[in-house]
Amino acid sequence: MITGRILVVDDVPEMLDVCRDMLSNLGAEVVTECDADQAVRRLESEPFDLAIVDIRMPGQDGLSVLRRARAANPSIAVLLMSAFPTEESVEQSVKLGASGYITKPITPDQLRTAATRALLTQRLGGISPAPENTTFFEGMFGRCEAMRRVYALIERMARADVDILVMGESGTGKELVARALHARGPRAQGHFVPIDCGAIPENLLESELFGHEKGAYTGAVNAQRGLIEFAHQGTIFLDEVAELPLSLQAKLLRVVQERQYKRVGGAEYVGVDARIIAATNRDIDREVREGRFREDLFYRLNVVRIEIPPLRERREDVVSMFEYFVQREAPRFERVITEIEPAVRLALERYSWPGNVREMLNVVRRTLALGGGEHVLLRDLPGDLVEQPRDGARGFFAQRETLLRSFEQRYLSELLARHNGDVAAAAVEAGIPRGTFYRLMKKYGLRSQPH
């Protein structure tokens, strides 16, 4: 039996009765309160081990109650409830020290399990959900000087409403930067339209971007607006813009320069009032020098450049970021993590993180899914992360990855050459979907033009 005091806060009296009944067999004293202000006063004057708080209430919301509860009693465990959880509210709750997040409607087993784990974690002391000196900014995480410079530049440029080029390796968070610029800028009420220039087949790209008129080509039975048109009075995010073929770069130049374009099969220009943010993981200066990216387009997109550092250059952020993601993701896997083994921290710091933050999140989810108990152990980590080079040698998993990449790149290049750049025919021979073939081409920087 669990002992202690639990305060349940919700502005719906019937919900309080349901929670009291669900928690009645835990052995703890259950107190309910339907007024958020009164709940805060009780949390500041009475001892509680756990607070279970609805996030949407009149007056003070659940995050405000969480903040006040933690200020009055840093050791208290707090669970938040919501029928409409968002990634932003989950992230904010973790940042403020919540022990977990419960989605309504709540089942008795779900509530009792979450409350029991929260009380046990509180009794064991737990680990900090996020270090106090960690910086959170518009969904991004980092306290290192390089990331602070990125945040400062976003703050300065958001209101300027100029076109921006975001540079960074795959997985560093280029779209998060673009979304932050949009959210903090004068076009925040307009649409944010992300366009992955490398994921749309080349023969469909022009129509997807600019739209088409009825009868523009076989199968165009109706007129259709393009993605750029949807961004009117908002923001266009051109992800991996260096993947665009030169023919489309010329047409994009008019959009960037004149803010107008023609639909496929159209005779008249259509105007668009939108901010343009472009991003690439390629060396764009080299692409320009070698003639694969138009110099005039580059200069118009590169009004301001924001460069995101790779995770391997942010060593001081690695362990704290891993801890943050562990605490944020653990409730989804019905886990409570109270300790991370020291050997895990060492492995995290030594790893090169070629996939950057995206890879980190994948590692966290895999670790939580395959592990068990309240500790994260070295054996829970992926093998290629644990295998570290010694005296110039490379571990099995690292060598396997290198050889696999080499094989995939050579195999795809030979297929494209054999089929004279015909992606559809190459995908048929490979026995994989065409979309997968395009993603692999993007991964290895391959193009469909015949060599």
Side-chain angles (χ1 to χ4, degrees), residues 151-165:
Y151 304 155
L153 195 52
I154 292 172
E155 290 272 23
R156 287 170 53 198
M157 291 299 106
R159 304 297 304 179
D161 201 33
V162 296
D163 294 340
I164 288 178
L165 182 62

Side-chain angles (χ1 to χ4, degrees), residues 182-203:
H182 172 74
R184 290 172 173 261
R187 300 176 182 273
Q189 299 306 311
H191 290 141
F192 177 87
V193 180
I195 303 171
D196 190 337
C197 300
I200 304 173
E202 187 175 330
N203 61 324

Side-chain angles (χ1 to χ4, degrees), residues 4-25:
R5 299 189 77 219
I6 302 173
L7 176 64
V8 183
V9 187
D10 196 301
D11 61 316
V12 179
E14 293 78 10
M15 187 64 189
L16 295 176
D17 293 337
V18 169
C19 288
R20 185 189 295 108
D21 291 341
M22 289 180 179
L23 298 169
S24 60
N25 64 351

Side-chain angles (χ1 to χ4, degrees), residues 193 195 208-211 225-232 236 238 252 255 261 272 274:
V193 180
I195 303 171
E208 288 291 312
L209 286 176
F210 305 118
R225 292 195 298 168
L227 292 170
I228 287 176
E229 194 167 344
F230 281 107
H232 185 64
I236 302 167
L238 298 169
L252 180 62
V255 177
Y261 61 94
V272 61

Side-chain angles (χ1 to χ4, degrees), residues 424-446:
V428 169
E429 182 176 336
I432 59 178
R434 193 186 308 181
T436 301
F437 202 99
Y438 273 110
R439 284 193 291 275
L440 288 169
M441 288 174 60
K442 178 181 176 182
K443 178 180 178 181
Y444 296 113
L446 302 177

